[in-house]
Amino acid sequence: MSGDEKTQSKVDQAKGKVKETTGRAVGNERLEAEGSAEKTKGDAREAKEKVKDVFKH
């Protein structure tokens, strides 16, 4: 996995988790949904990079 993409996927996952947790804590469903979507985006980016790594080797 390239360093930039790996870092970005971890950033997306972390930001998403914070937004999701904050949204849940304050009862803001929109913020919670945004966080969940961002976390999913990070998971997808990480999975894509892992697949690319498999085919590189």
Side-chain angles (χ1 to χ4, degrees):
M1 190 183 313
S2 73
D4 290 346
E5 290 293 322
K6 182 177 183 180
T7 301
Q8 189 59 46
S9 70
K10 294 297 181 189
V11 167
D12 287 343
Q13 291 169 339
K15 282 175 35 181
K17 183 66 175 171
V18 168
K19 280 184 180 180
E20 185 178 27
T21 302
T22 302
R24 189 173 296 131
V26 299
N28 186 332
E29 292 178 8
R30 184 182 65 82
L31 186 60
E32 186 177 348
E34 280 180 20
S36 180
E38 199 163 345
K39 195 168 65 169
T40 301
K41 177 181 164 188
D43 292 342
R45 179 176 280 164
E46 183 176 28
K48 176 187 82 170
E49 289 302 311
K50 284 182 179 180
V51 168
K52 284 173 41 179
D53 283 347
V54 166
F55 287 107
K56 272 187 186 176
H57 301 299

Coordinates of all heavy atoms in Angstrom, one line a residue:
M1 N 0.9 -1.2 0.0 CA 0.0 0.0 0.0 C 0.9 1.2 0.0 O 1.8 1.3 0.8 CB -0.9 0.0 1.2 CG -2.0 1.0 1.2 SD -3.0 1.1 2.7 CE -3.5 -0.5 3.1
S2 N 0.6 2.2 -0.9 CA 1.4 3.4 -0.9 C 1.2 4.2 0.4 O 0.1 4.2 1.0 CB 1.1 4.2 -2.1 OG -0.2 4.8 -2.0
G3 N 2.2 4.9 0.8 CA 2.2 5.6 2.0 C 1.1 6.7 2.1 O 0.4 6.8 3.1
D4 N 1.0 7.4 1.0 CA -0.1 8.5 1.0 C -1.5 7.9 1.1 O -2.3 8.4 1.9 CB 0.0 9.2 -0.4 CG 1.3 10.1 -0.4 OD1 2.0 10.3 0.6 OD2 1.6 10.6 -1.6
E5 N -1.8 6.9 0.3 CA -3.1 6.3 0.4 C -3.4 5.6 1.7 O -4.5 5.7 2.3 CB -3.3 5.3 -0.7 CG -3.4 5.9 -2.1 CD -4.6 6.7 -2.3 OE1 -5.7 6.4 -1.8 OE2 -4.5 7.8 -2.9
K6 N -2.4 5.0 2.3 CA -2.5 4.3 3.6 C -2.8 5.3 4.7 O -3.7 5.2 5.5 CB -1.3 3.5 3.9 CG -1.4 2.8 5.3 CD -0.1 2.0 5.5 CE -0.3 1.2 6.8 NZ 0.9 0.4 7.1
T7 N -2.0 6.4 4.6 CA -2.2 7.5 5.6 C -3.6 8.1 5.4 O -4.3 8.3 6.4 CB -1.1 8.6 5.4 OG1 0.1 8.0 5.6 CG2 -1.3 9.7 6.4
Q8 N -4.0 8.4 4.2 CA -5.3 9.0 4.0 C -6.5 8.1 4.4 O -7.4 8.6 5.0 CB -5.5 9.4 2.5 CG -6.7 10.2 2.2 CD -6.7 11.5 3.0 OE1 -5.7 12.2 3.0 NE2 -7.9 11.8 3.6
S9 N -6.3 6.8 4.2 CA -7.4 5.9 4.6 C -7.5 5.9 6.1 O -8.6 5.9 6.7 CB -7.1 4.5 4.1 OG -6.0 3.9 4.7
K10 N -6.4 5.9 6.8 CA -6.4 6.0 8.3 C -7.0 7.3 8.8 O -7.7 7.3 9.8 CB -5.0 5.8 8.9 CG -4.4 4.4 8.6 CD -5.3 3.3 9.3 CE -4.7 1.9 9.0 NZ -5.5 0.9 9.5
V11 N -6.7 8.4 8.1 CA -7.2 9.7 8.5 C -8.7 9.7 8.3 O -9.5 10.1 9.2 CB -6.6 10.8 7.7 CG1 -7.3 12.1 7.8 CG2 -5.1 11.0 8.1
D12 N -9.2 9.2 7.2 CA -10.6 9.1 6.9 C -11.3 8.3 8.0 O -12.4 8.6 8.5 CB -10.9 8.5 5.6 CG -10.6 9.5 4.4 OD1 -10.5 10.7 4.7 OD2 -10.5 9.0 3.3
Q13 N -10.7 7.1 8.3 CA -11.3 6.3 9.3 C -11.4 7.0 10.7 O -12.4 6.9 11.4 CB -10.5 5.0 9.5 CG -10.6 4.1 8.3 CD -9.6 2.9 8.3 OE1 -8.6 3.0 8.9 NE2 -9.9 1.9 7.5
A14 N -10.3 7.6 11.1 CA -10.3 8.3 12.4 C -11.3 9.5 12.4 O -12.0 9.6 13.4 CB -8.9 8.8 12.7
K15 N -11.3 10.3 11.4 CA -12.2 11.4 11.4 C -13.6 10.9 11.4 O -14.5 11.5 12.1 CB -12.0 12.3 10.1 CG -10.8 13.2 10.2 CD -10.5 13.9 8.9 CE -11.6 14.4 8.1 NZ -11.2 15.1 6.9
G16 N -13.9 9.9 10.6 CA -15.2 9.3 10.6 C -15.7 8.8 12.0 O -16.8 9.0 12.4
K17 N -14.8 8.1 12.7 CA -15.1 7.6 14.0 C -15.4 8.7 15.0 O -16.3 8.6 15.8 CB -13.9 6.7 14.5 CG -14.2 6.1 15.8 CD -15.3 5.1 15.7 CE -15.4 4.3 17.1 NZ -16.6 3.5 17.1
V18 N -14.6 9.8 14.9 CA -14.8 10.9 15.8 C -16.2 11.6 15.5 O -16.9 11.9 16.4 CB -13.7 12.0 15.7 CG1 -14.0 13.3 16.4 CG2 -12.4 11.4 16.2
K19 N -16.5 11.8 14.2 CA -17.8 12.4 13.9 C -18.9 11.5 14.3 O -19.9 12.0 14.8 CB -17.8 12.6 12.4 CG -17.1 13.8 11.9 CD -17.4 14.0 10.4 CE -16.7 15.2 9.8 NZ -16.9 15.3 8.3
E20 N -18.8 10.2 14.0 CA -19.8 9.3 14.4 C -20.1 9.3 15.9 O -21.2 9.4 16.3 CB -19.5 7.9 13.9 CG -20.5 6.9 14.1 CD -20.1 5.5 13.5 OE1 -18.9 5.2 13.4 OE2 -21.1 4.8 13.2
T21 N -19.0 9.2 16.7 CA -19.2 9.2 18.1 C -19.7 10.5 18.7 O -20.6 10.5 19.5 CB -17.8 8.9 18.8 OG1 -17.3 7.7 18.3 CG2 -17.9 8.8 20.3
T22 N -19.2 11.6 18.1 CA -19.7 12.9 18.5 C -21.2 13.1 18.2 O -22.0 13.5 19.0 CB -18.9 14.1 17.9 OG1 -17.6 13.9 18.2 CG2 -19.4 15.4 18.3
G23 N -21.6 12.7 17.0 CA -23.0 12.8 16.6 C -23.9 11.9 17.5 O -25.0 12.4 17.9
R24 N -23.4 10.7 17.8 CA -24.2 9.9 18.7 C -24.3 10.5 20.1 O -25.4 10.5 20.7 CB -23.5 8.5 18.8 CG -24.4 7.5 19.5 CD -23.8 6.1 19.4 NE -23.7 5.6 18.1 CZ -22.6 5.1 17.5 NH1 -21.5 4.9 18.2 NH2 -22.6 4.7 16.3
A25 N -23.2 11.1 20.6 CA -23.2 11.7 21.9 C -24.2 12.9 22.1 O -24.8 13.1 23.1 CB -21.8 12.1 22.3
V26 N -24.2 13.7 21.0 CA -25.0 14.9 21.1 C -26.4 14.7 20.4 O -27.2 15.6 20.4 CB -24.3 16.1 20.5 CG1 -23.0 16.4 21.2 CG2 -24.1 16.0 19.0
G27 N -26.7 13.5 19.9 CA -28.0 13.2 19.3 C -28.1 13.9 17.9 O -29.3 14.1 17.5
N28 N -27.1 14.1 17.2 CA -27.1 14.7 15.9 C -27.0 13.5 14.9 O -25.9 13.1 14.6 CB -26.0 15.7 15.7 CG -26.0 16.4 14.4 OD1 -26.6 15.9 13.4 ND2 -25.5 17.6 14.4
E29 N -28.1 13.1 14.3 CA -28.1 12.0 13.4 C -27.4 12.3 12.1 O -26.7 11.4 11.5 CB -29.6 11.6 13.0 CG -30.3 11.0 14.2 CD -31.7 10.6 13.9 OE1 -32.1 10.7 12.7 OE2 -32.5 10.3 14.8
R30 N -27.4 13.5 11.6 CA -26.7 13.9 10.4 C -25.2 13.7 10.6 O -24.5 13.2 9.8 CB -27.0 15.3 10.0 CG -26.4 15.7 8.6 CD -26.7 17.2 8.3 NE -26.1 18.1 9.2 CZ -24.8 18.5 9.1 NH1 -24.0 18.1 8.2 NH2 -24.4 19.4 10.0
L31 N -24.7 14.2 11.7 CA -23.2 14.1 12.0 C -22.8 12.7 12.2 O -21.8 12.3 11.7 CB -22.9 14.9 13.3 CG -21.4 15.0 13.6 CD1 -20.6 15.7 12.5 CD2 -21.2 15.8 14.9
E32 N -23.7 11.9 12.8 CA -23.4 10.5 13.0 C -23.4 9.8 11.6 O -22.5 9.0 11.4 CB -24.5 9.9 13.9 CG -24.2 8.4 14.3 CD -25.3 7.9 15.2 OE1 -26.1 8.6 15.7 OE2 -25.3 6.6 15.4
A33 N -24.3 10.1 10.7 CA -24.3 9.5 9.4 C -23.1 9.9 8.6 O -22.5 9.1 7.9 CB -25.6 9.9 8.7
E34 N -22.7 11.2 8.7 CA -21.5 11.7 8.0 C -20.3 10.9 8.4 O -19.4 10.5 7.6 CB -21.3 13.2 8.2 CG -22.1 14.1 7.4 CD -21.9 15.5 7.7 OE1 -20.8 15.9 8.3 OE2 -22.7 16.4 7.4
G35 N -20.2 10.7 9.7 CA -19.0 10.0 10.3 C -19.0 8.6 9.8 O -17.9 8.1 9.5
S36 N -20.1 8.0 9.8 CA -20.2 6.6 9.4 C -19.8 6.5 7.9 O -19.0 5.6 7.5 CB -21.6 6.0 9.6 OG -21.7 4.7 9.1
A37 N -20.3 7.4 7.1 CA -19.9 7.4 5.7 C -18.4 7.6 5.5 O -17.8 7.0 4.6 CB -20.7 8.5 4.9
E38 N -17.9 8.5 6.2 CA -16.4 8.8 6.1 C -15.6 7.6 6.5 O -14.6 7.3 5.9 CB -16.1 10.1 6.9 CG -14.8 10.7 6.5 CD -14.6 12.1 7.0 OE1 -15.6 12.7 7.5 OE2 -13.5 12.6 7.0
K39 N -16.0 7.0 7.6 CA -15.3 5.8 8.1 C -15.4 4.7 7.0 O -14.4 4.1 6.7 CB -15.9 5.3 9.4 CG -15.1 4.3 10.1 CD -15.6 4.1 11.5 CE -17.0 3.5 11.5 NZ -17.4 3.0 12.8
T40 N -16.5 4.5 6.4 CA -16.7 3.5 5.3 C -15.8 3.9 4.1 O -15.2 3.0 3.5 CB -18.1 3.5 4.9 OG1 -18.9 3.1 6.0 CG2 -18.3 2.4 3.8
K41 N -15.7 5.2 3.8 CA -14.8 5.6 2.7 C -13.4 5.2 3.0 O -12.7 4.7 2.1 CB -14.9 7.1 2.6 CG -14.1 7.7 1.5 CD -14.3 9.2 1.5 CE -13.2 10.0 0.8 NZ -13.3 11.4 0.9
G42 N -12.9 5.4 4.2 CA -11.6 5.1 4.6 C -11.4 3.5 4.5 O -10.3 3.1 4.1
D43 N -12.4 2.8 5.0 CA -12.3 1.3 4.9 C -12.2 0.9 3.4 O -11.4 0.0 3.1 CB -13.5 0.7 5.5 CG -13.6 0.9 7.0 OD1 -12.5 1.2 7.7 OD2 -14.7 0.7 7.6
A44 N -13.0 1.5 2.6 CA -12.9 1.1 1.1 C -11.6 1.5 0.5 O -11.1 0.7 -0.3 CB -14.1 1.8 0.4
R45 N -11.1 2.6 0.8 CA -9.8 3.0 0.3 C -8.7 2.1 0.7 O -7.8 1.7 0.0 CB -9.4 4.4 0.8 CG -8.1 4.9 0.2 CD -7.8 6.3 0.6 NE -8.5 7.2 -0.3 CZ -8.8 8.5 -0.1 NH1 -8.4 9.1 1.0 NH2 -9.4 9.2 -1.0
E46 N -8.7 1.7 2.0 CA -7.7 0.7 2.5 C -7.9 -0.6 1.8 O -6.9 -1.2 1.4 CB -7.9 0.5 4.0 CG -6.9 -0.4 4.7 CD -7.1 -0.5 6.2 OE1 -8.2 -0.3 6.7 OE2 -6.0 -0.7 6.8
A47 N -9.1 -1.1 1.6 CA -9.3 -2.4 0.9 C -8.8 -2.3 -0.5 O -8.2 -3.3 -1.0 CB -10.8 -2.7 0.9
K48 N -9.1 -1.2 -1.2 CA -8.6 -1.0 -2.6 C -7.1 -1.1 -2.7 O -6.5 -1.8 -3.5 CB -9.1 0.3 -3.1 CG -8.6 0.6 -4.5 CD -8.9 2.0 -4.9 CE -7.9 3.0 -4.4 NZ -7.9 4.3 -4.8
E49 N -6.4 -0.5 -1.7 CA -5.0 -0.5 -1.7 C -4.4 -1.9 -1.4 O -3.4 -2.3 -2.0 CB -4.4 0.5 -0.7 CG -4.6 2.0 -1.2 CD -4.0 2.3 -2.5 OE1 -2.8 1.9 -2.7 OE2 -4.6 2.8 -3.4
K50 N -5.1 -2.6 -0.6 CA -4.6 -4.0 -0.2 C -4.8 -4.9 -1.5 O -3.9 -5.7 -1.7 CB -5.4 -4.5 0.9 CG -5.0 -4.0 2.3 CD -5.8 -4.6 3.4 CE -5.3 -4.0 4.7 NZ -6.0 -4.6 5.9
V51 N -5.8 -4.7 -2.2 CA -6.0 -5.5 -3.4 C -4.9 -5.1 -4.5 O -4.4 -6.0 -5.1 CB -7.4 -5.2 -4.1 CG1 -7.5 -5.8 -5.5 CG2 -8.5 -5.8 -3.2
K52 N -4.6 -3.8 -4.6 CA -3.6 -3.4 -5.5 C -2.2 -4.0 -5.1 O -1.4 -4.5 -5.9 CB -3.4 -1.9 -5.5 CG -4.5 -1.3 -6.4 CD -4.6 0.2 -6.3 CE -3.3 1.0 -6.3 NZ -3.5 2.5 -6.3
D53 N -2.0 -4.1 -3.8 CA -0.7 -4.7 -3.3 C -0.6 -6.2 -3.6 O 0.4 -6.7 -3.9 CB -0.6 -4.5 -1.8 CG -0.2 -3.1 -1.4 OD1 0.3 -2.4 -2.3 OD2 -0.3 -2.8 -0.2
V54 N -1.8 -6.9 -3.5 CA -1.8 -8.3 -3.8 C -1.4 -8.6 -5.3 O -0.6 -9.5 -5.6 CB -3.2 -8.9 -3.6 CG1 -3.3 -10.3 -4.2 CG2 -3.5 -9.0 -2.1
F55 N -1.9 -7.7 -6.2 CA -1.6 -7.9 -7.6 C -0.2 -7.4 -8.0 O 0.3 -7.7 -9.1 CB -2.6 -7.3 -8.5 CG -3.9 -8.1 -8.4 CD1 -5.0 -7.7 -7.7 CD2 -4.0 -9.4 -9.0 CE1 -6.2 -8.4 -7.7 CE2 -5.1 -10.1 -9.0 CZ -6.2 -9.7 -8.3
K56 N 0.4 -6.6 -7.1 CA 1.8 -6.1 -7.4 C 2.8 -7.2 -7.2 O 3.8 -7.3 -7.9 CB 2.2 -5.0 -6.5 CG 1.8 -3.6 -6.9 CD 2.4 -2.6 -5.9 CE 1.9 -1.2 -6.2 NZ 2.5 -0.3 -5.2
H57 N 2.6 -8.1 -6.3 CA 3.6 -9.1 -5.9 C 3.4 -10.4 -6.6 O 2.8 -11.0 -7.1 CB 3.6 -9.3 -4.4 CG 3.9 -8.1 -3.6 ND1 5.0 -7.4 -3.7 CD2 3.1 -7.4 -2.7 CE1 5.0 -6.3 -2.9 NE2 3.8 -6.3 -2.3

